[in-house]
Amino acid sequence: MPADPTPGQTPGQTTNQTLEDAPGQAPDQGLDSRPEQTPDISVSSLSAGEMLRWVWRQLTSMRTALQLLLLLAVAAVPGSLFPQRRANPAVVTQYLKDNPDTGPWLDRLQMFDVFSSVWFSAIYLLLFTSLVGCVLPRTKAHLKALRSAPPRTPRRFARLPQHGSIVLNDGGAGMPAPDPAAAVKDAAAILRKLRYRVDIRDADTATPSVGAERGFMKEAGNLLFHTALIGVLVSVAIGGMFGYRGQKLIVEGEGFTNALIGYDSFSPGTNFNPDTLTPFALTLDDFDVRFNRDEQSTYGQPLDFTARMTVQESPDQRAEDRVLKVNSPIGIGGTNVYLVGNGYAPVVEVRDGEGNIAFSGPVPSQPTDSAYTSTIVIKAPDANPDQLGFVGFFLPTAVVNSEGLAFGSDPDPFNPRLNLNSYYGDLGLDDGTPRSVYQLDTTNLTQLNGRDLNAGGIVLEPGQTYELPDGRGSITFDSLKRFVALDITYDPGKIGALIFSTLALTGLILSLITARRRVWIKARATPEGGTTLEYGLLARGEDSGLRNEAIKLEQALSSHWGVTPSKNEQKKPEPSPDTPQQM
Amino acid sequence: MSAPARTNPNPPHAPRTPPAPHTPLQNASAPGSPRPRTRASTLVALLVTATLLITGCSAQNNSLAEQANAGDNKNYIAGDGSVAEYAPDTRSEPVDVKGELYDGTTVDSDQWVGNVVVLNVWYAACAPCRVEAPMLQTLSTSFAPEGVRFYGINVRDEKPTAEAFERNFGITYPSFGDRDGKLLLSLTSYVPPQAVPTTLVLDRQGRVSARILGIADESTLKTLIADALAEDNPVTPLPSTTARTDDAS
């Protein structure tokens, strides 16, 4: 690979450096002037090394970075059009079942795992590389610009967009006019006070001058913005690698231990190590839900969910009481426990055909509407001689309509009813196949109860028992408990993402509010024995405040020497020769 | 990244937080020299590293990730059948747990010293637990003469449900009722059970000598128990450890 640092023949040599960072460079290469239309002939004549370099320059150009950023946003769109496994795998499984033709193809294109898909990652990686390749040379150029003196004093100030002069004569009260060198020195001090970097040149000649520059915070802010963007990317990546997210449902009085075994479902980060789970334990002591009972329009709508929990942060620590609410997670170490759902868990007892208790305990039901009309599946795999299964509805406040159909009318348990169909046979659990706890696979089951059968459906209120037909057992609705669904997440990149996005915003604001300006002041002795101070201002980029800055400078100069402005040759601001600064 | 902000009741297993963009990036370090040649090779290196990491790392969590993506609502974390046996010098401290059996007896791990102990985490509706239950019962009977003790740790069921399971499969060894997860919590300090079922073998000193995640294979478990039995029976190891500590202090 040639070590020649000036690849003249390579197309696309415009780098991402904004043009201001290269003083003296002709500002004629806008970003649009990149020779992308260069015929293929010149590309094909490149050696492998030059090709790589060309690719690198393309990749690290500002335009590519912006395009990649846009592409990233576009690529995220399917993530909201299709169900995502990371959000809810069960919905994806259902989608695949419902769309047997298109589903597998969408799956092959990773439409259900958009944020971890190959194509999304590719854009992400390229953006990351592009940003790194962009920030590094710019930082270097900026540091160089910080060290170098303001550019040389132009010969004719009349060409600058803002310029003028003041004449310093005898002070009148015996004070002689300052000589040019002293005047420039004072002017430099004034400019310094206006927060300019100053450089006095030609101090011992007849026309000493001072060059001044300000607004380095603009590029610094710009660099901060880009660096912080990289930080955000890295933080999110760390979260995706070492974080995890799991779900657990707890009925009142039950507990949860933060070990893999304790979870109902669990999504690990790519580099997640299960041994690193913080071992803490939670117990749901009591769950309280308040519904609106005061206003007609919002009657029955939820007002507040409060879960009182006992938390033991580590095996050798003492348990303490904590309150968990929606949007107010419990933080344990770096792990956050969110309250994401709730419902009713009727406590039931199932006796089998032999009269033994086959199942006893709370069974969480799945709420389907705001009245907590819930679906419920009860399985008694240890019932003998046949396994028993129940499927149906739980209604907290059941109302029966004219057709004899029960429906739920209120979320509070004013009139709880369990409406069930019953089955016996093989629940399909004994061969080790995972089965959904929210579904009853009736393939190998025979129905005992149902609206269409002679035996009818089972309707139970608390305390009631129903004897199954043919002496196959009984079911009792003992009492009612509530449950909470918890989302337990660990995202080690979260704090980093917050810090870096704050920094990015700070950098962006800095780069937007800071104006880059240059000022030159030149002093010359007049034939009358006075001193003329000429000044000129130049903005770097679009700057509507330049005229005000010129007036401010002249006032500062005038008041310093106690003169009234003599002749101000303000011209109308000309269009700046510089290209507007790019981000 | 974002707290679930829902006040409406929603189905318990459908938390719908916006998916955090998952990123397989590893290397946060920026390429060093800005010279084009180095930069280009750094780019290549970065991409290669990233690719390796993406492919390399996903294998480790395949089983977990597959389960997460299955969306079958089975409500437990299944094991992949992986077996880990720990050499005597790499084992954790002796397990120090205490719990109550379903019959009301309190059992302290102190009582286990000198015996090999098999702990099996289970619950009745867990499909793989039902598969391995008969095998565990067989082994518990066959190893009884050698003083091997079997205990179940039931993480979900209430007593009658657990008893129905035991009756159904003819299980004679006792089980801890651990719905509140307290026993599990103390156990995580040693070797965390990471799936249902998990089977742990404790050596005569009470240290975890082997762990099986998922359905245990009969011959494998037999070998693991036999290995633990074959190790020297330390003469009252716990008091001697205490004595040594006392001397030091």
Side-chain angles (χ1 to χ4, degrees):
Chain A
M1 202 185 295
D4 178 13
T6 54
Q9 76 277 40
T10 49
Q13 59 177 295
T14 316
T15 65
N16 49 285
Q17 292 188 20
T18 49
L19 295 160
E20 296 129 284
D21 297 319
Q25 190 177 333
D28 55 353
Q29 306 181 337
L31 287 168
D32 299 330
S33 69
R34 179 164 325 163
E36 286 211 317
Q37 297 82 15
T38 311
D40 286 343
I41 307 137
S42 75
V43 175
S44 59
S45 69
L46 296 177
S47 72
E50 286 162 343
M51 188 66 203
L52 266 179
R53 196 188 307 173
W54 178 78
V55 168
W56 175 252
R57 283 182 188 282
Q58 288 294 311
L59 180 63
T60 57
S61 78
M62 187 52 55
R63 189 158 87 167
T64 309
L66 287 176
Q67 283 170 345
L68 284 171
L69 203 59
L70 185 71
L71 200 58
L72 198 69
V74 172
V77 169
S80 54
L81 293 180
F82 299 106
Q84 296 296 297
R85 286 210 173 88
R86 271 183 87 83
N88 192 338
V91 177
V92 176
T93 308
Q94 192 58 43
Y95 187 95
L96 282 171
K97 217 179 275 177
D98 295 344
N99 302 280
D101 299 325
T102 51
W105 277 103
L106 289 171
D107 202 11
R108 240 163 272 170
L109 294 171
Q110 298 177 300
M111 286 299 173
F112 306 119
D113 307 278
V114 164
F115 300 106
S116 55
S117 67
V118 170
W119 40 274
F120 194 83
S121 308
I123 300 171
Y124 201 103
L125 274 173
L126 284 175
L127 177 61
F128 178 81
T129 318
S130 176
L131 280 174
V132 171
C134 161
V135 165
L136 284 183
R138 277 181 75 156
T139 309
K140 209 183 150 203
H142 184 58
L143 290 177
K144 206 170 136 196
L146 274 178
R147 281 197 304 271
S148 59
R152 62 177 185 80
T153 312
R155 194 172 301 169
R156 295 172 55 200
F157 284 10
R159 289 184 140 179
L160 297 171
Q162 292 292 329
H163 60 93
S165 65
I166 58 170
V167 181
L168 312 174
N169 288 316
D170 292 352
M175 288 233 312
D179 63 53
V184 160
K185 219 173 153 188
D186 282 12
I190 290 167
L191 283 172
R192 214 173 279 130
K193 214 175 275 173
L194 289 171
R195 300 203 311 186
Y196 279 84
R197 289 169 63 232
V198 298
D199 178 50
I200 298 174
R201 58 282 302 259
D202 309 327
D204 39 7
T205 66
T207 55
S209 66
V210 55
E213 206 170 4
R214 62 161 295 174
F216 281 86
M217 286 311 279
K218 191 181 190 76
E219 178 66 359
N222 212 334
L223 288 172
L224 179 66
F225 173 73
H226 284 91
T227 315
L229 269 191
I230 298 173
V232 171
L233 291 188
V234 170
S235 303
V236 171
I238 288 175
M241 286 193 306
F242 300 105
Y244 62 81
R245 187 166 143 213
Q247 285 75 40
K248 175 66 181 176
L249 188 150
I250 319 181
V251 180
E252 282 173 310
E254 278 185 19
F256 161 75
T257 298
N258 191 31
L260 262 183
I261 195 170
Y263 282 94
D264 291 342
S265 58
F266 191 87
S267 318
T270 47
N271 284 35
F272 168 77
N273 177 359
D275 291 324
T276 58
L277 285 177
T278 331
F280 62 79
L282 305 169
T283 310
L284 177 63
D285 300 321
D286 171 45
F287 182 61
D288 199 35
V289 189
R290 267 192 325 116
F291 296 99
N292 195 338
R293 300 294 171 204
D294 302 327
E295 288 158 57
Q296 199 73 48
S297 59
T298 54
Y299 186 84
Q301 286 187 7
L303 290 178
D304 182 54
F305 299 98
T306 306
R308 271 175 284 278
M309 324 225 27
T310 308
V311 178
Q312 194 179 352
E313 295 209 5
S314 70
D316 39 295
Q317 243 169 315
R318 281 192 44 188
E320 52 182 66
D321 290 339
R322 303 269 280 269
V323 170
L324 173 67
K325 280 172 175 282
V326 179
N327 290 335
S328 155
I330 292 182
I332 299 160
T335 313
N336 277 331
V337 180
Y338 294 94
L339 175 61
V340 294
N342 71 94
Y344 289 102
V347 181
V348 297
E349 187 181 280
V350 177
R351 281 181 187 270
D352 62 14
E354 296 171 358
N356 294 313
I357 302 175
F359 174 85
S360 170
V363 182
S365 62
Q366 276 197 304
T368 57
D369 62 15
S370 59
Y372 279 67
T373 304
S374 312
T375 56
I376 188 168
V377 168
I378 304 163
K379 296 180 185 180
D382 292 305
N384 276 315
D386 290 302
Q387 295 182 332
L388 296 173
F390 302 84
V391 59
F393 285 96
F394 170 73
L395 308 172
T397 301
V399 173
V400 179
N401 68 7
S402 53
E403 288 163 38
L405 285 171
F407 64 95
S409 71
D410 196 278
D412 263 327
F414 295 126
N415 184 28
R417 283 289 185 287
L418 207 43
N419 292 24
L420 298 169
N421 292 345
S422 68
Y423 296 84
Y424 73 95
D426 180 9
L427 293 172
L429 284 167
D430 288 346
D431 59 359
T433 319
R435 303 276 175 191
S436 167
V437 292
Y438 300 115
Q439 278 167 13
L440 193 66
D441 181 359
T442 54
T443 322
N444 297 316
L445 294 174
T446 312
Q447 192 165 6
L448 276 172
N449 287 93
R451 277 177 63 85
D452 310 331
L453 300 182
N454 287 337
I458 303 169
V459 181
L460 292 173
E461 44 185 286
Q464 284 186 337
T465 301
Y466 178 86
E467 296 290 336
L468 295 176
D470 312 332
R472 293 192 180 271
S474 67
I475 180 164
T476 309
F477 179 10
D478 284 331
S479 58
L480 193 58
K481 283 186 174 179
R482 289 182 193 269
F483 71 82
V484 294
L486 303 178
D487 214 28
I488 297 141
T489 60
Y490 172 63
D491 186 352
K494 202 157 69 174
I495 289 174
L498 175 71
I499 292 173
F500 283 117
S501 44
T502 313
L503 283 179
L505 202 63
T506 314
L508 192 62
I509 291 170
L510 268 183
S511 75
L512 286 179
I513 62 167
T514 314
R516 296 197 62 183
R517 287 164 186 156
R518 286 173 182 172
V519 175
W520 294 273
I521 298 176
K522 191 154 56 176
R524 179 186 294 124
T526 59
E528 295 83 29
T531 298
T532 305
L533 277 182
E534 278 182 86
Y535 64 85
L537 286 85
L538 179 67
R540 315 276 296 137
E542 217 59 59
D543 187 354
S544 56
L546 192 65
R547 191 183 156 81
N548 286 339
E549 181 82 354
I551 294 168
K552 204 164 105 188
L553 177 65
E554 183 169 314
Q555 279 170 351
L557 292 172
S558 304
S559 68
H560 181 72
W561 280 288
V563 295
T564 47
S566 55
K567 195 175 70 178
N568 196 339
E569 303 165 30
Q570 295 290 2
K571 272 167 72 179
K572 273 194 292 180
E574 287 170 358
S576 165
D578 287 312
T579 45
Q581 175 150 10
Q582 302 291 317
M583 284 289 301
Chain B
M1 200 148 291
S2 56
R6 292 161 64 89
T7 41
N8 281 334
N10 53 333
H13 280 265
R16 259 167 256 156
T17 40
H22 154 101
T23 52
L25 279 175
Q26 162 89 319
N27 208 337
S29 67
S33 163
R35 281 193 307 155
R37 177 185 171 148
T38 326
R39 268 192 242 143
S41 42
T42 316
L43 165 67
V44 173
L46 195 83
L47 289 175
V48 168
T49 318
T51 317
L52 283 177
L53 282 169
I54 295 162
T55 48
C57 296
S58 38
Q60 177 191 344
N61 286 312
N62 252 350
S63 164
L64 267 181
E66 268 169 30
Q67 290 187 55
N69 288 340
D72 51 14
N73 275 336
K74 68 182 187 302
N75 266 21
Y76 62 87
I77 307 300
D80 50 4
S82 64
V83 182
E85 192 171 11
Y86 307 95
D89 51 339
T90 62
R91 287 175 197 166
S92 63
E93 291 292 295
V95 166
D96 181 15
V97 295
K98 203 168 160 180
E100 196 177 313
L101 300 179
Y102 276 122
D103 62 16
T105 329
T106 303
V107 173
D108 194 314
S109 51
D110 287 355
Q111 305 164 12
W112 299 341
V113 173
N115 291 89
V116 170
V117 174
V118 177
L119 300 176
N120 175 256
V121 185
W122 67 283
Y123 68 92
C126 135
C129 305
R130 304 179 72 81
V131 172
E132 68 172 8
M135 179 275 290
L136 285 170
Q137 175 57 30
T138 313
L139 288 190
S140 78
T141 335
S142 63
F143 277 108
E146 278 140 296
V148 178
R149 303 184 187 200
F150 276 66
Y151 289 98
I153 299 172
N154 189 310
V155 284
R156 303 215 178 165
D157 296 327
E158 289 191 352
K159 188 180 172 185
T161 313
E163 281 175 349
F165 179 94
E166 288 166 356
R167 189 170 57 241
N168 196 18
F169 288 97
I171 307 288
T172 51
Y173 59 86
S175 272
F176 295 94
D178 195 38
R179 293 192 91 197
D180 58 2
K182 287 290 179 292
L183 182 59
L184 207 56
L185 181 65
S186 23
L187 216 51
T188 49
S189 319
Y190 307 98
V191 174
Q194 287 169 353
V196 197
T198 291
T199 307
L200 299 176
V201 180
L202 310 186
D203 66 13
R204 293 184 197 272
Q205 297 174 46
R207 305 175 303 180
V208 178
S209 70
R211 178 182 74 177
I212 304 176
L213 299 178
I215 300 177
D217 176 66
E218 179 165 2
S219 59
T220 310
L221 183 57
K222 217 176 199 168
T223 316
L224 293 173
I225 298 171
D227 286 353
L229 280 171
E231 285 166 21
D232 289 339
N233 191 355
V235 189
T236 53
L238 211 68
S240 74
T241 319
T242 322
R244 229 176 289 137
T245 321
D246 287 344
D247 289 346
S249 62

